[in-house]
C-alpha cells in the first residue's frame, strides 16, 4: 500500500511529491509502480520522476547488459529519470568540464531538472536500454486483471464488512499471517475481535502472489480459538481453510494496533482545513448525490478522510494509521447485516481455477523455451545470416581487449574491434627486448648454462667475448635467429600428436582428397604439415564448435563468451553431437 504526498524541500532538493510502497515478494507489483510513474510523467509533461528500491537504481540493473561503461552504482545518483513518458540518463560530460570523468560528483536534483527542462532530447536513454526496461512494464494496464485471483472464503461477518469498504486490507492481513511468529499467535487463542461464531461464505479478490502465500502454508488453528475445519474431502474445505487463515491475519493486525487515543483521528478531521476540504468535495459533486449516512456515502467519505490525512495536511501533524487501527475504525462505522450476507452467499459467482499453482515438468520446459526464444528474438536476423568468420573475428576481438581487476571486457560485436598486426611495431618491440640495451638473460637461459660442464679455465673470458659479439649483432639478424628457432620448434611439434591435431591450410585446400591423404604414412603427413602454415581461424572455429556441441544445449564457456559479444550459434541439428556437421 502506498501513496504520493507533498514533501517539504530537504536541503537543496526542491519541494516535490514522494512516496514509498512495500511490494513484499511480488516483484510484479514493483514494476506496476514503474508503469504508473511512467504514465504520470506522460500525462503531466512538466514532471520528472526517479524511482529506486532496496537495490538502488533497479531500472539500470534490468538493462545492465546495455549500459555505457561510465555508468556504475557510484555515479548514478540523480542521473536516471522518467520525463515525458521516456527514460532519460544524464551523462557525466554534462555535469563536469572533463568529459567522462568517472570520479566526478553526481549532479544535484536542481541541476538535473534544469538539464531535462532545456535539453531533454539529448539525454534520451539508448534504444536497447529503453527496450529492456519497457519490456518489463509491457502489457499494462490489461495485465492487471490477469494478476488477480478470486476465491471463496468462509469468513466472520465483521471481516466481510471491512473488506467491502477496504478491499486492499486483504494484503496486510495475508502478510500478517504469512510472517506470523509465536507472539502474534497468542492473540489468536481467543479471537476477541473476530470470533468464529458468525461466519458467512463470500468471495475475496487476491493477487496471485497473495493467494499462493496463503494457500501454500500448512497451518492448524489453536483448539481454543473455536475455528474448526471440515474433512479434507469436503468440497468446501478450501474455503474454510482460506477463511481461517485470513481471519488469523486480521486478528493479528488488530492485536498490533497503536495505543494512541481513539479520538486522535477525530481531532485531525475536526479542524477548519478539513471543513473547507469537505465543502469543496460537496461542491464538486464528489459524493455523486448519495444520501448522507448511506453505505456508499460513508465509503466515499472514508476515502476522502484517508486522502486528507496522507496528502493534504502536513506529514508531521498527521496521525499515521496502522492497518489494525483502520480495521477497528471501520468496524465502528460498518453496518453488519448477517442476513444480507447469507442471501448473497447463496448466489456467489464461481471462484477462479488455481491450477496455475501447479507446474508440470513439461510446462516448466515450455516456459524455459519461451524465455530463451524471447532472449534470442533480437538476434534472429543474425542467426539467419550465420557466418563462421563472425565467430573467429569475435573471439579475436575478445582476446585483443584489455582486462582489468574488474574482469574481462566484452566487445559488443565483432565489428567494434578488429585485430591488426603491425610488422614495424612488432620489430621495434623485439628490438627493445633483444637489443643492445638488454644485458640480462632470463631464468631459462641461466638454468641451461648450469647443465653444461666447462673444463677450460678461460671460459669466463670467452663468455665475456661472446657477449660483446652478441651486442654487436644487428636486430635483423636477431629476428632471423628467432625465426629459425620457431621453425625448429614447428618441426619438432609436427612429429607429435599435438602438431597433427591442427588443421593446416594444405589440409583445408585438399579437403576433397581427404580420404586419399589419410592412406598416406604418418611420416609423410608430418613432413607435409611442418611446411604448411596452420589455419588459425579454422582451428579456432573448430574448437569453439566442439566445445559448444559438448554443452548439449546448456550454458557453457563457448556460448557465454560468444553471446556476450552478440554472436549466437544456431542449435546443433546433429544428434550425434559432433561439430563436424556444423563446420561443413
Amino acid at each position: 500500500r502506498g501513496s504520493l504526498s507533498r514533501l517539504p524541500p530537504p536541503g537543496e532538493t526542491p519541494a516535490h511529491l514522494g512516496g514509498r510502497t512495500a511490494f513484499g515478494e511480488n516483484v510484479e507489483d514493483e514494476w506496476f509502480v514503474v508503469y504508473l510513474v511512467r504514465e504520470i510523467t506522460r500525462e503531466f509533461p512538466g514532471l520528472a520522476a526517479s524511482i529506486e528500491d532496496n537495490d538502488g537504481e533497479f531500472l539500470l540493473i534490468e538493462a545492465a547488459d546495455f549500459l555505457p561503461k561510465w555508468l556504475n552504482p557510484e555515479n548514478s545518483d540523480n542521473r536516471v529519470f522518467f520525463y515525458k513518458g521516456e527514460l532519460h540518463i544524464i551523462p557525466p560530460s554534462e555535469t563536469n568540464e572533463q568529459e567522462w570523468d568517472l570520479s566526478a560528483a553526481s549532479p544535484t536534483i536542481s541541476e538535473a531538472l534544469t538539464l531535462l527542462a532545456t535539453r531533454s532530447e539529448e539525454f534520451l536513454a539508448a534504444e536497447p536500454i529503453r527496450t529492456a526496461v519497457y519490456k518489463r512494464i509491457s502489457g499494462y494496464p490489461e495485465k492487471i486483471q490477469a494478476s488477480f485471483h478470486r476465491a471463496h472464503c468462509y469468513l466472520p461477518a465483521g471481516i466481510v464488512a471491512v473488506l467491502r469498504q477496504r478491499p486492499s486490507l486483504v494484503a496486510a492481513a495475508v502478510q500478517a499471517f504469512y510472517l506470523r511468529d509465536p507472539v502474534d499467535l497468542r492473540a489468536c487463542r481467543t479471537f476477541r475481535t473476530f470470533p468464529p461464531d458468525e461466519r458467512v461464505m463470500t468471495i475475496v479478490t487476491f493477487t496471485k502472489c497473495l493467494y499462493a502465500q496463503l494457500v501454500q502454508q500448512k497451518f492448524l488453528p489453536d483448539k481454543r480459538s473455536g475455528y474448526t475445519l471440515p474433512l479434507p474431502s469436503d468440497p468446501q474445505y478450501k474455503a474454510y481453510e482460506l477463511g481461517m487463515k485470513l481471519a488469523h491475519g486480521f486478528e493479528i493486525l488488530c492485536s498490533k494496533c497503536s495505543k494512541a487515543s481513539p479520538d486522535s483521528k477525530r481531532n485531525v478531521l475536526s479542524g477548519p482545513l478539513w471543513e473547507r476540504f469537505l465543502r469543496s468535495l460537496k461542491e464538486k459533486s464528489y459524493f455523486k448525490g448519495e444520501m448522507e449516512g448511506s453505505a456508499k456515502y460513508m465509503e466515499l467519505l472514508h476515502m476522502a478522510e484517508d486522502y486528507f490525512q496522507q496528502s493534504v495536511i502536513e506529514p508531521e501533524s498527521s496521525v499515521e494509521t496502522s492497518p489494525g487501527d483502520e480495521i477497528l475504525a471501520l468496524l465502528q462505522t460498518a453496518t453488519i447485516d448477517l442476513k444480507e450476507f447469507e442471501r448473497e452467499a447463496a448466489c456467489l459467482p464461481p471462484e477462479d481455477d488455481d491450477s496455475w499453482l501447479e507446474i508440470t515438468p513439461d510446462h516448466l520446459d515450455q516456459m524455459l523455451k519461451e524465455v530463451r526464444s524471447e532472449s534470442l528474438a533480437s538476434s534472429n536476423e543474425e542467426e539467419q545470416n550465420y557466418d563462421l568468420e563472425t565467430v573467429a573475428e569475435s573471439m579475436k576481438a575478445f582476446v585483443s581487449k584489455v582486462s582489468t581487476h574488474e574482469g574481462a571486457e566484452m566487445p559488443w560485436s565483432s565489428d567494434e574491434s578488429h585485430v591488426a598486426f603491425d610488422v614495424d611495431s612488432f620489430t621495434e618491440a623485439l628490438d627493445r627486448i633483444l637489443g643492445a640495451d638488454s644485458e640480462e638473460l632470463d631464468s631459462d637461459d641461466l638454468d641451461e648454462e648450469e647443465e653444461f660442464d666447462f673444463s677450460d679455465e678461460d671460459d669466463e673470458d670467452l663468455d665475456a667475448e661472446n657477449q660483446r659479439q652478441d651486442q654487436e649483432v644487428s636486430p635483423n639478424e636477431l629476428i632471423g635467429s628467432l625465426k629459425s628457432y620457431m621453425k625448429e620448434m614447428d618441426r619438432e611439434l609436427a612429429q607429435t600428436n599435438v602438431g597433427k591435431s591442427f588443421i593446416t591450410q594444405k589440409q583445408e585446400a585438399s579437403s576433397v582428397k581427404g580420404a586419399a591423404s589419410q592412406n598416406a604414412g604418418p611420416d609423410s603427413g608430418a613432413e607435409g604439415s611442418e611446411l604448411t602454415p596452420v589455419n588459425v581461424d579454422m582451428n579456432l572455429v573448430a574448437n569453439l564448435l566442439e566445445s559448444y556441441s559438448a554443452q548439449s544445449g546448456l550454458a557453457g564457456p563457448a556460448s557465454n563468451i560468444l553471446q556476450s559479444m552478440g554472436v549466437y550459434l544456431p542449435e546443433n541439428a546433429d544428434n550425434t553431437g559432433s561439430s563436424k556437421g556444423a563446420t561443413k
Side-chain angles (χ1 to χ4, degrees):
R1 185 176 67 168
S3 61
L4 293 176
S5 58
R6 185 180 181 275
L7 301 179
E12 298 181 358
T13 303
H16 60 283
L17 296 176
R20 186 186 300 266
T21 299
F23 55 88
E25 297 182 6
N26 192 358
V27 181
E28 277 301 319
D29 283 352
E30 180 181 27
W31 286 103
F32 176 61
V33 174
V34 175
Y35 163 77
L36 293 178
V37 170
R38 183 192 181 192
E39 292 303 310
I40 291 174
T41 61
R42 192 198 304 275
E43 186 71 19
F44 302 95
L47 292 181
S50 63
I51 183 170
E52 60 182 23
D53 65 2
N54 309 67
D55 297 324
E57 295 284 357
F58 67 97
L59 299 181
L60 300 182
I61 297 176
E62 185 66 24
D65 291 337
F66 311 104
L67 297 181
K69 293 182 180 180
W70 61 264
L71 190 57
N72 56 59
E74 287 73 25
N75 62 11
S76 62
D77 293 341
N78 301 334
R79 297 190 187 277
V80 185
F81 294 91
F82 276 111
Y83 184 65
K84 296 182 179 179
E86 297 291 346
L87 186 64
H88 292 72
I89 300 178
I90 301 177
S93 58
E94 297 298 334
T95 58
N96 191 278
E97 295 180 358
Q98 184 177 358
E99 188 174 3
W100 310 120
D101 184 4
L102 301 185
S103 62
S106 298
T108 63
I109 289 290
S110 299
E111 292 173 344
L113 294 179
T114 301
L115 290 171
L116 287 175
T118 56
R119 302 155 56 192
S120 61
E121 63 279 355
E122 299 180 19
F123 309 129
L124 190 65
E127 180 66 26
I129 298 177
R130 287 182 288 145
T131 300
V133 173
Y134 297 164
K135 181 180 178 182
R136 288 303 304 266
I137 59 178
S138 62
Y140 287 111
E142 293 79 9
K143 196 163 60 174
I144 298 175
Q145 294 299 324
S147 65
F148 289 146
H149 183 88
R150 297 164 183 83
H152 291 170
C153 296
Y154 196 55
L155 289 170
I159 296 179
V160 176
V162 168
L163 289 178
R164 294 229 173 151
Q165 299 185 61
R166 293 288 190 281
S168 60
L169 285 173
V170 68
V174 171
Q175 289 300 304
F177 174 78
Y178 186 70
L179 302 176
R180 68 191 181 279
D181 56 32
V183 178
D184 295 333
L185 292 178
R186 291 178 183 175
C188 300
R189 295 174 181 173
T190 57
F191 274 89
R192 296 180 179 178
T193 308
F194 300 108
D197 302 333
E198 298 180 346
R199 286 183 289 174
V200 294
M201 190 70 70
T202 187
I203 189 166
V204 179
T205 301
F206 303 88
T207 64
K208 287 185 175 179
C209 180
L210 293 175
Y211 179 78
Q213 288 178 329
L214 199 63
V215 77
Q216 293 291 350
Q217 282 209 357
K218 302 298 181 183
F219 177 75
L220 292 176
D222 193 299
K223 294 182 179 179
R224 292 168 288 184
S225 67
Y227 279 87
T228 58
L229 298 175
L231 294 176
S233 58
D234 192 294
Q236 293 185 333
Y237 175 81
K238 183 181 293 185
Y240 273 74
E241 184 184 34
L242 287 175
M244 176 269 297
K245 294 178 179 178
L246 203 56
H248 277 72
F250 274 94
E251 189 70 25
I252 291 172
L253 289 176
C254 293
S255 68
K256 292 182 176 181
C257 65
S258 63
K259 304 302 181 181
S261 172
D263 297 331
S264 58
K265 179 178 179 180
R266 189 177 303 110
N267 294 335
V268 172
L269 300 176
S270 60
L273 188 60
W274 163 251
E275 295 296 335
R276 290 197 301 270
F277 180 72
L278 184 60
R279 191 182 313 115
S280 174
L281 292 179
K282 292 180 179 179
E283 292 174 355
K284 296 178 180 179
S285 301
Y286 169 75
F287 292 99
K288 302 177 182 179
E290 294 290 336
M291 183 179 296
E292 187 170 350
S294 64
K296 184 64 176 177
Y297 180 92
M298 296 304 298
E299 180 181 352
L300 294 173
L301 179 63
H302 290 318
M303 293 174 61
E305 290 173 351
D306 290 343
Y307 176 80
F308 180 79
Q309 291 190 60
Q310 297 174 5
S311 304
V312 178
I313 58 178
E314 294 297 327
E316 58 268 18
S317 64
S318 64
V319 178
E320 185 175 352
T321 305
S322 68
D325 293 328
E326 189 173 359
I327 293 171
L328 294 177
L330 290 172
L331 284 175
Q332 294 177 1
T333 59
T335 301
I336 302 177
D337 189 345
L338 187 59
K339 293 184 178 179
E340 178 65 21
F341 291 160
E342 290 176 349
R343 284 194 298 267
E344 294 177 356
C347 54
L348 288 177
E351 58 183 353
D352 295 338
D353 182 16
D354 62 358
S355 59
W356 52 267
L357 285 170
E358 305 295 334
I359 299 179
T360 63
D362 293 339
H363 188 199
L364 178 60
D365 292 340
Q366 181 63 28
M367 293 171 61
L368 294 176
K369 288 181 180 179
E370 291 177 359
V371 172
R372 184 174 183 273
S373 62
E374 290 178 2
S375 65
L376 297 179
S378 60
S379 62
N380 284 340
E381 183 177 352
E382 296 180 6
E383 290 187 5
Q384 292 174 1
N385 300 328
Y386 178 69
D387 188 359
L388 291 179
E389 292 183 0
T390 305
V391 178
E393 292 299 327
S394 298
M395 185 57 65
K396 289 180 180 179
F398 169 69
V399 174
S400 67
K401 286 289 182 177
V402 178
S403 300
T404 65
H405 65 282
E406 295 182 352
E409 296 183 5
M410 299 291 187
W412 292 112
S413 66
S414 58
D415 297 332
E416 181 182 341
S417 175
H418 294 280
V419 178
F421 182 77
D422 189 344
V423 178
D424 295 335
S425 300
F426 180 69
T427 304
E428 293 177 2
L430 286 179
D431 289 344
R432 290 192 297 270
I433 296 174
L434 303 175
D437 295 336
S438 178
E439 297 181 357
E440 298 181 358
L441 296 174
D442 59 20
S443 59
D444 292 337
D445 294 332
L446 294 175
D447 293 339
E448 291 175 359
E449 284 191 2
E450 293 177 358
E451 296 176 0
F452 292 97
D453 182 15
F454 296 101
S455 57
D456 193 349
E457 295 179 357
D458 297 330
D459 285 342
E460 295 183 359
D461 296 337
L462 291 175
D463 290 341
E465 178 99 11
N466 292 334
Q467 288 182 3
R468 286 193 295 270
Q469 291 178 359
D470 291 341
Q471 292 175 358
E472 297 176 357
V473 177
S474 64
N476 291 334
E477 294 179 353
L478 289 174
I479 294 176
S481 177
L482 180 61
K483 289 181 178 180
S484 65
Y485 284 133
M486 297 296 294
K487 290 181 179 179
E488 188 65 28
M489 292 174 61
D490 290 342
R491 291 191 186 96
E492 293 182 5
L493 284 175
Q495 307 298 328
T496 65
N497 292 331
V498 175
K500 297 175 183 178
S501 65
F502 290 108
I503 302 174
T504 63
Q505 294 180 2
K506 180 178 179 181
Q507 291 174 346
E508 180 188 5
S510 60
S511 60
V512 180
K513 303 178 180 179
S517 61
Q518 290 179 0
N519 295 329
D523 295 337
S524 62
E527 184 68 21
S529 62
E530 67 175 344
L531 301 177
T532 306
V534 172
N535 191 325
V536 178
D537 290 351
M538 181 59 70
N539 282 279
L540 173 60
V541 171
N543 290 331
L544 280 174
L545 292 179
E546 185 177 358
S547 176
Y548 180 73
S549 178
Q551 295 174 192
S552 301
L554 303 176
S559 59
N560 289 344
I561 293 177
L562 291 175
Q563 288 179 12
S564 65
M565 296 182 290
V567 178
Y568 294 86
L569 294 176
E571 293 186 3
N572 187 6
D574 189 357
N575 294 330
T576 61
S578 173
S579 64
K580 294 181 180 180
T583 59
K584 290 182 180 179

